Amino acid sequence: MLDDGGLRALREAARLSPDNLPLRRHLAEQLLAKGYLADAEAEFRAALLLAPKDVDVTAGLAEAFVRQSAHGAALAALEPFLASPGYPPRLGIIAAKALLGEGETGKAAYRYYEAISRDASLEDPELAARLAIPVPTPSAAPADPVPPSPPEEEEVERSKHTFADVAGMEAVKESLRVKLLLPLQQPELFAAYGKRAGGGVLLYGPPGAGKTHLARAAAGELGAAFVNVGLADILDMYVGSSERNLHATFDLARRNRPCVLFFDEVDALAARRSDMRQAHARQLVNQFLAELDGVDQNANEGVLVLAATNAPWYIDAAFRRPGRFDQLVFVPPPDTAARAAILRILCRDKPLAEMDFDAVARATEHMVGADLKGVVDRAVEVKLQQSISAGRPIPMSTTDLLAAAKGAKPTAVREWLATARNYVLHANESGAWDELMPWIKAKW
Ligand code: ADP
């Protein structure tokens, strides 16, 4: 059957010394290189009996399987290696091909990016293209495109804020405590009930209502690292770069566990796939889903994923499945009492005269946390100038805040609620927006 003289001689030599591992491996590799796939598979199997943990033999066997479209068998052969974090990256590339063959594109991309992030020489443009990764459109691409550079690693943040720095929102804090903090603080209790820490929370509400502030405070409350991801950190027009950035961000969080990984404006990364016309945008969503699931059970252990959006109705329903963003939490615009509490927190380190925070809260209807911060900042500026002129610190008073509030315009809470009403009243079959209902029905 083998018409190649060299191969015949090799095979004969291997028959005479069946326990010679290097010889058998060499024969198997030659068979594979020349395309005798079934023979290569048989030889690799025989070699694996001699050395069950041999990386080269495993790689060869898996490759032979992939080339015969036996993708499940390839994954089974690779599995013992892939389960440990420091596995040889080239095995990840073969796994990516096998996963692709199985139709698991998201997981394939995950493996591929993990592999090339550890060994850039393994980059395989053809494979990357098959992962349906974006090709820059001619108008977007510069005349002489430079290859994408690996994303710059941002430093993780150590948050100084805790829940004590977040005014009001008791219900929101309580649900985050149960979801995020207790499982890590009391793992035995949760283990006893067979519950694992994990799964993410999607915070939604009008802009400026304190979603980012809350996420940062959750990290501080837990003593966890904080990774704050904005759209600009992820989206990139180069082939595969967005997926690669996303993977690198998850990896950064995983290396710094316990960690709160926070995605702002997540609707842009997790939009409904049915709304997308371009395959590459869908690919990013698939990659995001695969990262949330992790390739194995422990991949995201100790990584708490929080995300914020002003437009939760645009998020693909797949993100709301268990283990992903399985909890939706509404971060409401503050009522009068909450505004007074926010003002108290914002002013607490400033020199103050007698303060009537309730009066200021009443004068700042429809304002959210971000607006109130603007009011306090403006009042502080005025006070600073007066103090410089007077040559002594002049404490801030209720009148100063009221004056600053007069000139300020609330951001678009009312408009946001009007938009929300449109979506919620027409599509609340699953009860996902129940929390929003009282706000929608109230007069604003
Ligand atoms: P969002 O992420 O919802 O757009 P942010 O978290 O950026 O809003 O809120 C803007 C600022 O408003 C925060 O940096 C914080 O100073 C202040 N703020 C908002 N909500 C609160 C709150 N509940 N308690 C204290 N400060 C708040």
Side-chain angles (χ1 to χ4, degrees), residues 165-167 169 206-213 264 342 345-346 369-370 373:
D165 299 287
V166 181
M169 299 202 219
K211 299 181 288 298
T212 310
H213 187 57
D264 204 2
I342 294 174
I345 285 183
L346 291 171
K373 188 167 187 311

Side-chain angles (χ1 to χ4, degrees), residues 32 37-38 40-41 44 59-70 94:
L32 184 63
L37 301 178
E41 179 196 322
F44 277 122
L61 179 61
E63 186 82 44
F65 279 136
V66 168
R67 287 173 59 186
Q68 296 174 93
S69 299
I94 305 170

Side-chain angles (χ1 to χ4, degrees), residues 21 44-55 57-58 77 80-81:
L21 178 65
F44 277 122
R45 278 180 192 276
L48 206 59
L49 290 177
L50 297 176
K53 296 216 166 86
D54 189 290
V55 174
V57 173
T58 306
F81 286 91

Side-chain angles (χ1 to χ4, degrees), residues 29-40:
E29 282 164 355
Q30 288 300 306
L31 288 165
L32 184 63
K34 302 226 153 110
Y36 298 111
L37 301 178
D39 290 328

Side-chain angles (χ1 to χ4, degrees), residues 55 80-92 111 114-115 118 296:
V55 174
F81 286 91
L82 298 182
S84 63
Y87 65 86
R90 69 195 163 103
L91 298 187
R111 283 292 181 201
E114 183 166 74
R118 286 199 282 138
D296 63 64

Side-chain angles (χ1 to χ4, degrees), residues 272-312:
R272 284 192 299 231
R273 284 166 290 186
S274 55
D275 290 348
M276 296 179 183
R277 268 175 299 137
Q278 282 155 316
H280 66 253
R282 285 198 291 274
Q283 178 52 33
L284 186 58
V285 170
N286 288 338
Q287 175 80 17
F288 201 169
L289 292 170
E291 295 290 351
L292 286 170
D293 293 345
V295 275
D296 63 64
Q297 242 199 341
N298 302 323
N300 292 335
E301 197 82 48
V303 177
L304 310 172
V305 190
L306 288 182
T309 176
N310 305 333

Side-chain angles (χ1 to χ4, degrees), residues 182-249:
L182 295 182
L184 285 155
Q185 287 167 345
Q186 303 191 1
E188 313 78 26
L189 188 65
F190 275 72
Y193 285 94
K195 284 204 62 98
R196 279 194 330 121
V201 175
L202 181 65
L203 305 169
Y204 70 98
K211 299 181 288 298
T212 310
H213 187 57
L214 189 65
R216 188 172 267 122
E221 186 81 18
L222 182 61
F226 185 63
V227 174
N228 188 358
V229 193
L231 278 187
D233 301 319
I234 302 295
L235 294 182
D236 190 300
M237 67 179 203
Y238 286 107
V239 180
S241 291
S242 302
E243 288 80 353
R244 197 194 318 233
N245 292 344
L246 192 61
H247 181 70
T249 303

